[in-house]
Each structure stands twice: as C-alpha cells, then as structure tokens.
Amino acid sequence: HNRKILLSSTKINTNMINIPIIFCFDKNMVISAGVCITSLLLNKHSETFYDFIILYNEQDLTIEYRNKLLILQDKYPNQCRISFFSIGNTFQGAYEIRNITISTYYRLLIPELMPQINSLNQTNYQTIFYLDVDTIIECDLSQVFLSCQAKTEICLFGVCESPTYHQGIDLSYWREIGCNPKSYINAGVLIMNIEALQKYNFTSLCLRHKNKKYTYQDQDIINIVCKDKISFLPLKYNYTSVLYTLALHNKEFQKLKAEEIDNANNGIIHYTGSKPWNSFCLRSEYWWYYYKHSIFKDEQFYSNYHQSIPNQILSDSSYKRIKKIFLKKLISKYFHKTN
C-alpha cells in the first residue's frame, strides 16, 4: 500500500495524559471534523493532551484541506497534535450506501497500522479512541480512556445500540449476517485495545467482508467480527440520535436505561441520521455552538440556518414537544455555558 504519514512539528507533552484519537473522513466532512475537534479542545481538562491522527486518501483529502485543519494546532498550542496518515487505495470499490463514502472503512485498518504510526510518531499507543466526526464531545475523555486502557484483555469498547430496543422490530437481518442483535454496538465511538485486536487478526478478518453489501457497512462488519468480544460503554459516550429519541419517547427504554439517561449530559452527542449543518434536528444547537467557536465559522451560513429554523420546526408533526425541548436546550447551551 502507498502509505505515508505527514507530521507536524508539534510534540506530545509527556507531562500530560496523552490520548490518541483517530478520525477517518474525506473533504465532505472537513468542517464537521473541525467542529468536532473544537468541542474536544474546549471541554478537555488542563492535564489532557489530544494526539489526533487522521487516516485519509490523497485524492479525497487534499493538502488544502489538511492545512486548514492544522491551523487548530496554532490556535490551541500545547494542547493537541494533528498528523495525517495516507492509507492508499485499500478500499477502492468497497460497497457504499446512503451517501456514506469509503472513508468509513478506514477504521478497520487501525490495529494493523498502529505499529507504523507509533514508529513514525515516536509513540507507543496500545489503546486508542476512534471517533466519527459527526459528533460533539462535551466532556474530557481521560477518565473513560484510562479505565479502558487498564482492561487489556478486552478487544473493543462501544455503546450498545441494539435493535431489540425497538418494540416489534424484525431482527432477521442482524441474525442472518451473524450479529448478536442484543449486543449490537454503534461504531461511531470506539475504544480499541490494539494488542488484543492484533492477536485476534481483526483487520484481516474484517477485510474479508469489505465488498459485501451490508446495510450498515463497516459497523456491521465490526459487530460480526467482534461478536462476543465487545464490552459496553455507558450511553453518554455515544448518545446517538436513535438512542436520544428512544430516551424521549420509549417508556421501556427509559426504564431499562434510567440511570444512564440521567447521567448522559456532558458526554458525546452523535448525529446519526439528520446532520445539524444540513437541516434542523434535535440537539442541533450543540453543534452550532461549537461551529460558532471554530475556525470554520461563517456568519452568513450561521444566520441563514437559524432563520430557517421556525419553518422547519413548524413542518414537524410533533412541533409542540420539539419546540419545548429545543428552546430548553438552546437556553442551557447559550446562556449557561462558560466556554
């Protein structure tokens, strides 16, 4: 494979808690990546240092976009490092669906790539965070990272998004592809134990599936390959749109996850489904808060979006409930936040 790493001059801070976070995205998600990184940096503890590693393809994330992201290092000196690692054309021709591009598959390579990344970056990471960039992180990640780092026998940590949470849903798809529906995780936030995954031959097992037409692509692959080898994280560390909606409306889910729902504030918001930069969605005000604080902010774009909100809310059948939730969260976000 034609792989290379592009390093910045920034060094990790050995006096801090260094947390490696890997992203995989293309030019279509550069702004959301910048907003995601901004939220991480605004909410971290003073002793936390984030080492961001971006897996990319040269054609899909050109030098212009990479340089734009590197500006974040200058804005947040001694708080983060950003490096880029080219994965070549490993997934050329892989199955794509719902406008999700092949960059989503790059996370499957992480255990195989880490020895080379560690060598070039002069690190020795054996536990890493993977994050989708359609997320907002409202907490410091050191506590959950160190907790998982100590559990070296576990391959993978993630938040359960079981289809069994939905009453009456047909589970045949998940069973047919070889998943356990009860322990199915959302793969947008993962903590990976590199050595355990290497021993398990995770990457080679995943690559056997790369051309299969799974509905949820790499997420299905991860759940198939790591069946019964996953430990669950609390809901707050990947509070997807699906889980958030269940928490609002599903009484059985509310009972099942009562404690986790109560403790879900100041975690990781994951915008599965509708994206806040495209249209109004619940919790969109959180994304726009960090957009306003990011290097990508465009006042006209921001203004146009917020002028369109009333019509978008009015067109929703559950207008009154959504309006109440939206206004409560909006006031909390903009008037009670100290950042």
Side-chain angles (χ1 to χ4, degrees):
H1 302 297
N2 176 27
R3 294 173 178 157
K4 60 183 178 180
I5 198 160
L6 301 176
L7 288 171
S8 70
S9 58
T10 301
K11 303 294 184 182
I12 61 172
N13 191 327
T14 55
N15 296 319
M16 300 173 75
I17 300 171
N18 293 285
I19 300 179
I21 299 178
I22 293 184
F23 299 111
C24 309
F25 59 90
D26 59 21
K27 61 185 178 183
N28 298 305
M29 298 295 281
V30 169
I31 292 178
S32 56
V35 174
C36 173
I37 291 172
T38 299
S39 72
L40 278 156
L41 294 169
L42 288 180
N43 289 300
K44 76 176 191 66
H45 294 162
S46 59
E47 65 272 19
T48 299
F49 183 96
Y50 288 131
D51 197 357
F52 300 119
I53 303 159
I54 298 169
L55 305 186
Y56 76 104
N57 174 281
E58 291 275 358
Q59 287 71 42
D60 295 330
L61 193 68
T62 62
I63 190 66
E64 176 187 359
Y65 293 113
R66 301 197 297 271
N67 284 339
K68 182 71 171 177
L69 289 163
L70 285 172
I71 296 172
L72 286 163
Q73 287 182 150
D74 298 326
K75 185 173 181 180
Y76 300 94
N78 302 314
Q79 298 184 55
C80 71
R81 174 172 70 171
I82 300 175
S83 56
F84 298 85
F85 194 87
S86 172
I87 61 93
N89 297 313
T90 304
F91 291 101
Q92 188 172 7
Y95 180 60
E96 298 178 75
I97 189 173
R98 301 188 310 277
N99 296 318
I100 301 173
T101 62
I102 61 171
S103 60
T104 191
Y105 291 99
Y106 298 171
R107 75 194 78 184
L108 305 180
L109 300 175
I110 291 171
E112 178 190 284
L113 297 179
M114 279 313 298
Q116 189 176 356
I117 291 173
N118 275 328
S119 176
L120 291 167
N121 263 351
Q122 298 182 340
T123 52
N124 187 32
Y125 298 130
Q126 295 303 315
T127 304
I128 67 96
F129 247 105
Y130 167 82
L131 287 175
D132 278 354
V133 295
D134 56 348
T135 56
I136 288 297
I137 296 79
E138 291 223 299
C139 61
D140 178 271
L141 297 179
S142 58
Q143 182 178 359
V144 65
F145 177 80
L146 294 174
S147 174
C148 294
Q149 188 178 50
K151 301 172 183 176
T152 57
E153 74 284 358
I154 297 173
C155 284
L156 203 62
F157 299 83
V159 172
C160 188
E161 195 181 49
S162 171
T164 62
Y165 294 155
H166 303 265
Q167 296 174 344
I169 194 170
D170 183 0
L171 302 176
S172 58
Y173 169 76
W174 288 272
R175 289 172 177 152
E176 287 170 4
I177 66 173
C179 291
N180 180 351
K182 291 183 178 180
S183 60
Y184 187 88
I185 64 166
N186 181 284
V189 179
L190 300 171
I191 299 180
M192 306 176 97
N193 181 337
I194 300 303
E195 187 174 357
L197 289 168
Q198 289 170 339
K199 288 179 179 178
Y200 184 54
N201 294 317
F202 170 82
T203 297
S204 60
L205 290 172
C206 287
L207 291 179
R208 296 177 186 178
H209 297 265
K210 72 174 184 177
N211 293 317
K212 296 183 180 179
K213 296 183 178 181
Y214 294 127
T215 301
Y216 301 104
Q217 296 162 287
D218 55 292
Q219 180 168 284
D220 282 344
I221 294 173
I222 289 170
N223 277 279
I224 294 167
V225 169
C226 290
K227 182 180 178 180
D228 303 323
K229 296 183 179 296
I230 298 170
S231 183
F232 294 148
L233 294 172
L235 179 151
K236 70 175 289 184
Y237 290 112
N238 189 2
Y239 206 1
T240 67
S241 298
V242 170
L243 295 174
Y244 185 66
T245 302
L246 285 169
L248 289 177
H249 302 295
N250 189 302
K251 291 182 179 179
E252 292 300 318
F253 184 78
Q254 290 167 0
K255 293 178 183 177
L256 180 67
K257 297 287 185 179
E259 184 176 351
E260 289 189 44
I261 292 170
D262 287 342
N263 295 322
N265 291 329
N266 300 318
I268 298 177
I269 299 171
H270 188 184
Y271 296 100
T272 50
S274 298
K275 309 302 179 190
W277 54 90
N278 288 332
S279 62
F280 171 78
C281 61
L282 287 174
R283 304 183 295 176
S284 60
E285 67 280 1
Y286 289 82
W287 191 87
W288 286 99
Y289 175 86
Y290 293 103
Y291 175 81
K292 282 279 286 185
H293 287 77
S294 79
I295 60 173
F296 293 94
K297 65 180 178 182
D298 180 305
E299 291 295 342
Q300 189 60 52
F301 180 51
Y302 179 83
S303 176
N304 289 344
Y305 169 80
H306 280 80
Q307 287 175 13
S308 72
I309 286 178
N311 288 334
Q312 293 184 56
I313 295 178
L314 285 168
S315 67
D316 193 285
S317 59
S318 56
Y319 161 64
K320 289 184 179 179
R321 180 166 178 77
I322 286 181
K323 179 183 177 183
K324 182 178 179 181
I325 294 168
F326 173 74
L327 291 176
K328 180 180 178 181
K329 296 292 185 180
L330 183 68
I331 292 169
S332 172
K333 183 78 238 171
Y334 280 88
F335 297 103
H336 295 168
K337 189 77 177 179
T338 57
N339 282 339

